[in-house]
Amino acid sequence: MNRAVLAFALRRAAATLALLLALSLLVFALLYLAPGDVARNLLGTRNVTPEALARIRELHHLDEPFLAQYWWWLSHAVTGDFGTSIRTGGRVGPLLLDRTGVTAATAGLAFLLSVLAGVPAGIATAVRRGRPLDRVIVAASVVGVSAPGFAVGLILLYVFALGLGWFPVYGTGEGFLDALWHLVLPAVALAFGLGAFVVKLTRAAVIRELDQDYVTFARGRGLSERRVLRLVLRNAAIPIVTSLGLMVAYLFGGTVLIEVTFALPGLGSLMEESVLFKDVPVVQALTLVVALVVSVTALAVDLSYLAIDPRVRARAVRR
């Protein structure tokens, strides 16, 4: 059985690697086909001679065929060498590392707040379906899903930073506690819509299980509501875990506007600056890093099914 489970995990890992390879090729192709001359971007706005342009193209392998350029970039990217930033002139790898901490902390705190608030609220609304608490939380979740993150962030800034003065307006702070305090409002703004999304999915998953025949059978045999709910939550765990995995993609998409709103020096603001400046090496690296995080998260979600649901383990063994 352990060998079959390992084979299942290896198949999922191989599929993830193939997906990352395809995504890297797609990203490189889109940037290759984008309007503009990369060599001129590397040289900036100053006037240059045709000989200088030819030298830059040769130095960065821009005069080679598409597949040769892609292989040169990929062979360096897998070692962590993403080239040189056009905007700063520094190496892209260290630049990403300097910005990763802020984004990871903001996204991690938002994820934690979303799970701690969204999952219990979703379960509570499902158990009390049709009651006042259910209606209030469902209405609030609809508002949360509909509200743009940057708009929520501006409201939080106006009320709690400018109005009440409880939180700083911008920046990252100094020291662990001060940095955490600076990230509270950005994390709440990011978690507002995310938590509402989790509430709706959790509620739908739990209600689907509560309507199953085995719940009626369990209650008919005299099982307590606590034990029945435990069975329901175990069977509803897979769609809930899947939704939590999907949140990672939302987090990285939402951090761009949140970091710009709160002037945080993270990967989101770096992406915005790089796109505006047409800093192609940084955009390539950021896109690949985001794809890597999302793909690895999807792989972790797939593997978690083995621990959650015995039926998935049984299917893996049969294969």
Side-chain angles (χ1 to χ4, degrees):
M1 179 175 178
N2 291 335
R3 185 175 298 176
V5 171
L6 179 60
F8 174 83
L10 290 176
R11 285 197 301 270
R12 288 291 189 269
T16 300
L17 288 176
L19 176 63
L20 284 173
L21 184 63
L23 285 173
S24 68
L25 180 60
L26 177 62
V27 170
F28 192 88
L30 290 174
L31 291 172
Y32 179 84
L33 296 172
D37 189 343
V38 176
R40 288 193 176 276
N41 288 339
L42 287 169
L43 290 169
T45 57
R46 58 183 179 272
N47 294 324
V48 293
T49 62
E51 291 76 13
L53 279 174
R55 175 58 183 159
I56 289 295
R57 291 191 177 98
E58 180 183 359
L59 182 63
H60 293 277
H61 302 266
L62 298 175
D63 56 345
E64 297 180 1
F66 167 74
L67 289 179
Q69 291 186 40
Y70 170 71
W71 174 250
W72 182 83
W73 174 75
L74 183 64
S75 61
H76 286 76
V78 294
T79 65
D81 181 8
F82 294 102
T84 303
S85 169
I86 299 172
R87 185 169 56 90
T88 65
R91 305 302 293 174
V92 175
L95 180 62
L96 295 185
L97 289 176
D98 290 341
R99 299 288 195 106
T100 300
V102 174
T103 299
T106 306
L109 185 57
F111 183 86
L112 186 63
L113 292 174
S114 302
V115 173
L116 292 179
V119 173
I123 296 172
T125 57
V127 173
R128 297 168 177 80
R129 185 178 8 170
R131 299 180 186 178
L133 177 65
D134 178 34
R135 294 192 180 95
V136 170
I137 295 180
V138 168
S141 66
V142 171
V143 174
V145 170
S146 305
F150 71 91
V152 176
L154 290 174
I155 293 172
L156 292 176
L157 276 174
Y158 182 77
V159 175
F160 296 101
L162 295 176
L164 299 175
W166 293 353
F167 295 94
V169 177
Y170 63 91
T172 56
E174 297 180 1
F176 176 76
L177 292 178
D178 189 34
L180 186 64
W181 194 245
H182 277 73
L183 294 179
V184 169
L185 286 186
V188 170
L190 194 56
F192 189 75
L194 207 59
F197 178 70
V198 175
V199 169
K200 294 181 72 64
L201 287 177
T202 303
R203 180 180 182 273
V206 174
I207 286 177
R208 188 185 310 114
E209 294 301 323
L210 286 172
D211 291 337
Q212 298 296 318
D213 292 337
Y214 75 85
V215 175
T216 304
F217 180 74
R219 286 171 175 163
R221 293 193 60 186
L223 268 68
S224 65
E225 285 299 318
R226 183 184 297 271
R227 293 186 64 184
V228 171
L229 184 60
R230 190 179 304 166
L231 289 172
V232 167
L233 293 180
R234 183 171 183 177
N235 290 325
I238 282 188
I240 294 174
V241 170
T242 303
S243 69
L244 297 182
L246 294 173
M247 286 167 50
V248 175
Y250 177 91
L251 280 171
F252 274 91
T255 51
V256 176
L257 293 177
I258 293 297
E259 288 179 3
V260 172
T261 302
F262 288 89
L264 295 176
L267 294 178
S269 58
L270 178 62
M271 175 67 87
E272 185 254 352
E273 296 164 3
S274 302
V275 170
L276 290 177
F277 200 82
K278 296 183 179 180
D279 196 344
V280 175
V282 177
V283 174
Q284 284 178 324
L286 279 171
T287 307
L288 187 61
V289 167
V290 172
L292 175 64
V293 171
V294 174
S295 300
V296 170
T297 303
L299 174 62
V301 169
D302 282 347
L303 296 181
S304 70
Y305 296 161
L306 297 173
I308 294 172
D309 196 336
R311 294 170 295 183
V312 178
R313 289 198 299 270
R315 285 197 296 270
V317 171
R318 286 197 297 269
R319 291 178 184 176

